[in-house]
Amino acid sequence: MGRIVRIIDKLAAPRYNAMRKEYMAMSIGGTEGKSMLKKGTIVYTAFSEYMIDRQISQGGNGTVFLVHDKANNKYALKAIDRNKTSTEKLKRFKNEIHFCENTDDPNVIKVLDHGTHSVDDKNLVFYLMPAYDQTLRGLMSNGINSNIVLPIITQILSGLLFAHKMGV
């Protein structure tokens, strides 16, 4: 079984990387190399502030940054530019924040804080969540060890099942 997984991984990796590059070129916020928030930018919520360290990921549903607070705790910040986002996507982003703030399922990311930030021609809406060592996209790009594929898929499906049971 492990040999089959390795063969599939070798065959799928080039196709996945090509699809990712094409997807990134079409994603919200412009090209892959251009970030909506620069390193060192400080964003505020009602009671906290966070400094941008670097961009982690960018896709069709927002851009994710690694940030830290004054105590140097690391978080992930997901942002969308409301000036470049449809009303429907803004509504989905609001629902995403509300659902993840009010959910305690271990397989659903917890929203810890949220706010807005304006810079240049951008009017950003963002939320903060725990930061992890690696993204699923990163694992997929580097090749997921066959020993952890099943636990990852199980966690994803458990989170989806919970969300569907909650009417999401």
Side-chain angles (χ1 to χ4, degrees), residues 86-134:
S86 70
T87 303
E88 183 60 33
K89 273 197 175 186
L90 279 172
K91 182 179 175 184
R92 286 198 310 257
F93 197 73
K94 179 181 176 181
N95 291 341
E96 183 177 331
I97 291 171
H98 180 73
F99 177 75
C100 293
E101 272 183 326
N102 297 299
T103 299
D104 287 325
D105 187 272
N107 298 301
V108 176
I109 294 290
K110 185 74 173 166
V111 168
L112 306 170
D113 205 351
H114 59 88
T116 61
H117 179 78
S118 295
V119 59
D120 300 326
D121 64 336
K122 297 171 188 75
N123 187 7
L124 307 178
V125 180
F126 66 87
Y127 67 81
L128 290 114
M129 57 191 152
Y132 295 93
D133 293 333
Q134 195 165 11

Side-chain angles (χ1 to χ4, degrees), residues 20 25 33 54 60 75 82 90 105 121 128 130 149 154:
R20 179 180 179 272
R54 64 180 172 85
Y75 300 95
R82 70 178 348 159
L90 279 172
D105 187 272
D121 64 336
L128 290 114
V149 169
T154 301

Side-chain angles (χ1 to χ4, degrees), residues 36-104:
M36 66 170 64
L37 289 170
K38 295 178 181 165
K39 181 179 179 171
T41 301
I42 296 175
V43 296
Y44 299 90
T45 63
F47 303 106
S48 298
E49 63 183 63
Y50 304 90
M51 183 179 286
I52 304 296
D53 293 330
R54 64 180 172 85
Q55 183 174 315
I56 297 172
S57 180
Q58 183 176 355
N61 292 316
T63 304
V64 180
F65 299 88
L66 181 65
V67 301
H68 68 274
D69 62 11
K70 286 184 174 186
N72 209 31
N73 297 308
K74 301 286 184 184
Y75 300 95
L77 179 147
K78 182 176 180 180
I80 59 171
D81 184 350
R82 70 178 348 159
N83 295 340
K84 296 181 180 179
T85 304
S86 70
T87 303
E88 183 60 33
K89 273 197 175 186
L90 279 172
K91 182 179 175 184
R92 286 198 310 257
F93 197 73
K94 179 181 176 181
N95 291 341
E96 183 177 331
I97 291 171
H98 180 73
F99 177 75
C100 293
E101 272 183 326
N102 297 299
T103 299
D104 287 325

